[in-house]
Amino acid sequence: MTKLRWGMIGGGEGSQIGPAHRLGAGLDGAFEFTAAALDHRPDAGRAYGQTLGLAADRSYGDWQEMLAGERGRDDRIDLVTVATPNATHFEITKAYLEAGFHVLCEKPMTMTVEEGEEIVKIARTTGQICAVNYGYSGYSLVRHMRAMVARGDLGAIRLVKAEFAHGHHADAADADNPRVRWRYDPAQAGVSAQFADCGIHALHMASFVIGQEVEKLSADTVSCIPSRLLEDDAMVNMRFDGGAVGRLWTSSVALGRQHGLTLQVFGEKGGLRWSQEQPNQLFWMPLGGRLQTIERGEANLSPEADRTSRVTIGHAEGMPLAFANIYLDLAAAIRAHTAGQPVDPAADLYPRAEDGLRSMAAVFAVAASGRDDGRWVDARPPMFRG
Ligand SMILES: NC(=O)c1ccc[n+]([C@@H]2O[C@H](COP(=O)([O-])OP(=O)(O)OC[C@H]3O[C@@H](n4cnc5c(N)ncnc54)[C@H](O)[C@@H]3O)[C@@H](O)[C@H]2O)c1
């Protein structure tokens, strides 16, 4: 099978998320790293691209130059990943979709709900694939949780509790550090800091696993470091469209928590608990039974879990492999798209532009509720309301 050609915008030398994408896209041999505009400094981006093995004429100085260069080629890229800072996602994703490229955009997909709706409409009109990198949904046991809920192991879902709480911005003396400060500056970060950065991962995971979307929410947002203009901690109560109650805590001042993404799901027939820092174990408590540990890679898991588990049981699999599973889904989706054939349902689980839009509506709902003493507000994007 010929490889698909993959391009990247952002993710330059020293970036946080660039290496995880390159590991993920390269893992299964489905994609060949072919073109990039890696850095906001054109020369640095061109040079770094070549050290990563790109041909000189496809290691571009900026995304516009890359768009012009790639759109005219017979061997143009099949997929582009957008891993630049948040405020640039909308215009880059829009331009590439409109030019007929499939896109994987980093979260948050846009800065406003209106932009999110526009991306969804463009993706639907052009027929291009537009994915959003909620990469943690690629973990094998997260896929298994979803399959267990979908096949009814837990019965009706009563409660879902999601957390993404870390302590990396807890130092008040560090609040003026330029790498931290912009995140709490409304001019650069938008209406929300911690919920928009981390809370949306927890919310996406909750929705993905229980197969329900948030309808309304009430948020208590706070700046534990008082000089911050945006929240560094939020507690959000939610109601989902399938009847589940949601509780979500996100924080950047939770000292001692390193990453802190966890999910608990409680149904009428059993409960599940999973943590990103211990991704190879899933804890399952069936009603009237005993607490059990489900290990990634063990026999008789769901097809969704088997497909996304790569190394034998007992060996660690981590975040780059979760990203690789998003790329594995995308390779299947792009091949099916080209052939005009349906995608295997077990492979059709990558997060969509619609998920990116729902997150943005939730971000604005959290900000509005937080400003208004926790008033319950509609969390759905206008285009998805009745
Ligand atoms: N999905 C996840 O788990 C996850 C984790 C971390 C970051 N992110 C997201 O990834 C994005 C990037 O975050 P990061 O932490 O890697 O940022 P970063 O600041 O570490 O790196 C950003 C990179 O993009 C480059 N860049 C900036 N503007 C550019 C432009 N116009 N054209 C080309 N390159 C440009 C910079 O030179 C740099 O190499 C953000 O949107 C962030 O929210 C997602």
Side-chain angles (χ1 to χ4, degrees), residues 65-379:
E65 189 194 335
M66 176 163 149
L67 183 60
E70 290 298 312
R71 75 191 310 171
R73 300 183 70 108
D74 292 337
D75 62 347
R76 65 192 226 159
I77 49 171
D78 298 292
L79 172 71
V80 63
T81 293
V82 179
T84 50
N86 303 356
T88 62
H89 292 174
F90 171 67
E91 68 166 339
I92 302 175
T93 297
K94 178 176 187 301
Y96 276 77
L97 286 173
E98 286 176 340
F101 293 92
H102 302 303
V103 177
L104 169 60
C105 182
E106 261 304 346
K107 46 59 58 176
M109 182 175 80
T110 58
M111 297 293 285
T112 67
V113 180
E114 293 73 23
E115 290 171 352
E117 292 201 333
E118 196 173 337
I119 293 292
V120 167
K121 285 179 192 155
I122 294 168
R124 288 179 177 179
T125 308
T126 60
Q128 298 305 122
I129 293 165
C130 183
V132 181
N133 191 37
Y134 291 110
Y136 305 113
S137 66
Y139 274 107
S140 177
L141 288 180
V142 173
R143 300 277 171 107
H144 189 62
M145 280 195 282
R146 185 179 196 277
M148 287 179 75
V149 171
R151 73 190 181 200
D153 293 6
L154 285 78
I157 303 303
R158 292 169 171 159
L159 274 173
V160 58
K161 178 160 183 283
E163 295 181 358
F164 197 157
H166 65 76
H168 298 297
H169 303 155
D171 185 355
D174 205 32
D176 272 340
N177 175 337
R179 293 194 68 131
V180 176
R181 193 178 49 211
W182 74 266
R183 297 169 179 278
Y184 301 93
D185 173 3
Q188 297 181 70
V191 296
S192 158
Q194 181 58 20
F195 185 80
D197 190 34
C198 295
I200 58 173
H201 275 297
L203 175 57
H204 176 266
M205 183 167 287
S207 293
F208 178 78
V209 167
I210 70 172
Q212 299 182 29
E213 304 297 344
V214 64
E215 273 189 341
K216 61 178 184 174
L217 61 77
S218 157
D220 180 13
T221 56
V222 60
S223 302
C224 291
I225 294 184
S227 59
R228 289 179 173 157
L229 296 175
L230 296 173
E231 87 289 354
D232 51 22
D233 188 282
M235 184 66 86
V236 186
N237 281 311
M238 300 174 290
R239 296 290 184 273
F240 286 85
D241 58 5
V245 170
R247 317 273 188 216
L248 188 154
W249 175 46
T250 188
S251 185
S252 67
V253 296
L255 273 173
R257 306 260 308 214
Q258 292 302 337
H259 187 265
L261 176 61
T262 66
L263 190 77
Q264 291 173 269
V265 185
F266 305 103
E268 57 188 2
K269 296 198 296 188
L272 288 169
R273 175 164 54 90
W274 179 87
S275 163
Q276 203 280 141
E277 291 176 43
Q278 199 182 342
N280 288 338
Q281 284 83 35
L282 171 62
F283 299 97
W284 163 232
M285 176 74 196
L287 181 69
R290 287 204 165 140
L291 185 63
Q292 300 165 22
T293 306
I294 296 171
E295 289 278 342
R296 182 203 50 75
E298 72 182 38
N300 302 319
L301 295 186
S302 56
E304 292 87 342
D306 289 345
R307 181 177 167 279
T308 48
S309 170
R310 312 295 175 57
V311 295
T312 46
I313 189 167
H315 296 86
E317 265 186 20
M319 179 260 233
L321 273 83
F323 279 27
N325 289 330
I326 304 294
Y327 280 97
L328 195 65
D329 289 351
L330 285 169
I334 292 169
R335 292 191 199 286
H337 183 276
T338 307
Q341 287 173 353
V343 187
D344 168 7
D348 197 18
L349 294 175
Y350 64 87
R352 314 300 220 252
E354 285 80 355
D355 298 304
L357 166 60
R358 286 195 182 93
S359 300
M360 203 34 62
V363 165
F364 277 76
V366 163
S369 176
R371 280 194 305 269
D372 201 4
D373 268 346
R375 180 174 57 86
W376 282 87
V377 295
D378 197 326

Side-chain angles (χ1 to χ4, degrees), residues 39-57:
D39 203 290
H40 66 286
R41 299 159 303 167
D43 290 343
R46 282 193 196 96
Y48 188 52
Q50 289 178 59
T51 69
L52 295 174
L54 293 180
D57 66 336

